[in-house]
Amino acid sequence: MSDVLMIRERPPRLSVVALLEAEGLPASDLTEAHLEHFFFTGSDGAPSALVGLEIYDEAALLRSLVVSAAARTQGLGSALLLHAEEYAAVHRVRSLYLLTTTAEAYFGHRGYRRIDRSQAPPFIQSTREFASLCPSSSAFMIKRL
């Protein structure tokens, strides 16, 4: 990773969808409104990594943390996760939730812990990611900020 990592806001929707679909992550529910709290590295046309937040008052759903295959092992995912957590804290988020089928250990090493899906607040349960896009076998995790 270079000494100065440029993290930008609001990636273009088509670029987000292309990267998520290339890496097997859900993208069908993303709208321009979702991108208000999305961050990325790389170019507008080909982001190398991105992460998003859906903010609901004092809680948020962390979603779509992805690094392109060509950009892995450079620390981009960790840098974006930290950026999203700091952004959430500035916006008075106290609890970050996420769903994952492949990265439970990654998030566990970064302070997230698995909880039962029944503990999800109603506004998280009502998201398309929770309700239908991520399988019920996904790990549901929380981190208190």
Side-chain angles (χ1 to χ4, degrees):
M1 185 168 67
S2 65
D3 292 340
V4 178
L5 176 64
M6 182 175 218
I7 296 176
R8 300 165 55 201
E9 297 179 1
R10 280 191 93 99
R13 185 181 172 284
L14 291 177
S15 298
V16 170
V17 169
L19 179 56
L20 292 175
E21 288 179 348
E23 299 300 329
L25 293 173
S28 63
D29 67 319
L30 288 177
T31 65
E32 289 295 328
H34 283 109
L35 301 178
E36 178 182 354
H37 306 293
F38 268 62
F39 308 96
F40 71 108
T41 62
S43 69
D44 285 352
S48 52
L50 65 92
V51 67
L53 293 168
E54 290 183 33
I55 298 176
Y56 303 94
D57 295 321
E58 292 187 356
L61 180 64
L62 181 83
R63 59 173 298 166
S64 307
L65 178 61
V66 63
V67 178
S68 69
R72 292 197 182 127
T73 72
Q74 298 176 33
L76 298 178
S78 295
L80 280 169
L81 180 59
L82 180 61
H83 182 84
E85 290 172 350
E86 290 172 350
Y87 178 90
V90 165
H91 287 83
R92 295 188 161 88
V93 170
R94 300 292 172 244
S95 300
L96 277 177
Y97 296 90
L98 65 86
L99 292 146
T100 183
T101 57
T102 61
E104 184 174 359
Y106 175 87
F107 287 108
H109 290 295
R110 286 153 182 83
Y112 291 79
R113 64 180 175 82
R114 188 175 188 152
I115 60 173
D116 192 86
R117 287 174 72 106
S118 65
Q119 294 179 273
F123 49 86
I124 298 292
Q125 290 181 24
S126 68
T127 65
R128 283 198 53 213
E129 185 166 356
F130 186 94
S132 62
L133 294 177
C134 289
S136 59
S137 59
S138 299
F140 182 59
M141 303 181 82
I142 186 173
K143 181 176 183 177
R144 305 279 184 204
L145 300 181

